[in-house]
Amino acid sequence: MLVNYVRTALAVKLNALKLDKRAVTAIEYALIAALIAVVIIGAVTTLGKNVGNTFNTVASEL
């Protein structure tokens, strides 16, 4: 009898977890945001170095 109660309670909890997808979606959005941030940081770093080199070249020519 106790085994059936525990089995039923466990089945109800597992079904509730299967229906709740909000946490998975939040993790996916967080991973996408992190990837976008890494790409932006890389692009800004490269662009910043190129702009710095350009200003140094112009300054040395003057």
Side-chain angles (χ1 to χ4, degrees):
M1 180 157 172
L2 182 60
V3 174
N4 288 336
Y5 174 75
V6 171
R7 187 180 303 152
T8 304
L10 204 57
V12 169
K13 290 292 183 184
L14 288 175
N15 284 336
L17 286 176
K18 287 180 184 177
L19 295 176
D20 189 12
K21 303 286 185 189
R22 291 176 293 178
V24 175
T25 304
I27 291 171
E28 290 172 352
Y29 284 134
L31 289 173
I32 291 170
L35 180 63
I36 291 171
V38 167
V39 170
I40 289 173
I41 289 170
V44 168
T45 302
T46 304
L47 183 64
K49 288 178 184 176
N50 291 340
V51 170
N53 291 336
T54 302
F55 279 119
N56 287 335
T57 303
V58 170
S60 66
E61 291 293 325
L62 291 177

